Amino acid sequence: MSSSDDKAHPALTPAVAERLKALSADFARELPQRFTELRATWAECLAHRGDPRGWDLLQSVHDIVHKFAGSGQHFGHVQLSRAAAPLDEFLIHRRKRKRPLADDETARIEAMIQEIGRAARLPENRIEPDV
C-alpha cells in the first residue's frame, strides 16, 4: 500500500495492510474455483428440483452467492459484488416460498449466475480492498 493509502486509513498498520493484501490475493486466486463450485451446486440443485435435497442445494447456492455479494467488494472485486447482489436478494425472498422453482425462476437464476461469472473474470474491475 502506498503512503496515501495509509493516510486514508490512519489506523491501518503495515502488518494489517499486508494481511489484507494477502487475503485479497487469496480471494482472487480462489475465485475461479468458487465460481465452479457455484455452477456445480446449481446444476445439482436443478437435478433435485422439487425434492428436499433441492432445497438444501438452493441454500448452498445462496450461501456462495451471498459470499460473492459481501466479500467481493471487501477484497477488491466490486463488479462481482454488484453482479451477485441481485441474485442474493432474489434468493433471500425466494426461500420464503416453499414450492419448487418455476421454469422462469430457473432461467432468471441461470442468467444471474452467468452475469456473476462474467464479473468474476473481469480483472479491470480490480481495485484496492476496503478497510
Side-chain angles (χ1 to χ4, degrees), residues 1-3 10 17 37 82 90 94-97 104 113-114:
M1 293 202 140
S2 70
S3 61
E37 178 186 357
R82 288 180 183 154
F90 176 80
R94 182 55 181 85
R95 278 192 338 211
K96 295 174 186 173
R97 292 181 278 168
D104 65 322
I113 288 173
Q114 288 176 11

Side-chain angles (χ1 to χ4, degrees), residues 93-131:
H93 295 292
R94 182 55 181 85
R95 278 192 338 211
K96 295 174 186 173
R97 292 181 278 168
K98 296 289 184 179
R99 61 174 174 74
L101 291 169
D103 290 342
D104 65 322
E105 291 174 313
T106 60
R108 184 175 175 193
I109 292 169
E110 180 63 36
M112 288 189 269
I113 288 173
Q114 288 176 11
E115 186 60 32
I116 292 167
R118 282 189 286 277
R121 292 185 291 274
L122 291 176
E124 64 270 17
N125 291 316
R126 183 88 178 93
I127 62 165
E128 286 300 311
D130 292 343
V131 254

Side-chain angles (χ1 to χ4, degrees), residues 34-56:
R34 289 179 186 200
F35 184 72
T36 298
E37 178 186 357
L38 172 61
R39 295 290 307 163
T41 306
W42 171 240
E44 191 175 354
C45 178
L46 289 177
H48 291 276
R49 191 162 82 167
D51 70 47
R53 177 81 176 122
W55 287 109
D56 292 341

Side-chain angles (χ1 to χ4, degrees), residues 4-100:
S4 64
D5 290 333
D6 294 338
K7 291 176 187 171
H9 304 287
L12 190 65
T13 66
V16 170
E18 285 305 311
R19 179 67 182 139
L20 187 57
K21 192 181 277 187
L23 289 171
S24 181
D26 289 345
F27 184 87
R29 188 174 36 261
E30 295 169 3
L31 195 50
Q33 178 183 341
R34 289 179 186 200
F35 184 72
T36 298
E37 178 186 357
L38 172 61
R39 295 290 307 163
T41 306
W42 171 240
E44 191 175 354
C45 178
L46 289 177
H48 291 276
R49 191 162 82 167
D51 70 47
R53 177 81 176 122
W55 287 109
D56 292 341
L57 290 163
L58 188 60
Q59 180 59 49
S60 295
V61 166
H62 183 226
D63 291 344
I64 296 166
V65 169
H66 183 73
K67 289 175 186 172
F68 283 156
S71 299
Q73 71 182 7
H74 296 294
F75 293 121
H77 295 269
V78 174
Q79 290 302 104
L80 176 64
S81 288
R82 288 180 183 154
L87 182 52
D88 183 34
E89 195 66 28
F90 176 80
L91 292 172
I92 287 170
H93 295 292
R94 182 55 181 85
R95 278 192 338 211
K96 295 174 186 173
R97 292 181 278 168
K98 296 289 184 179
R99 61 174 174 74

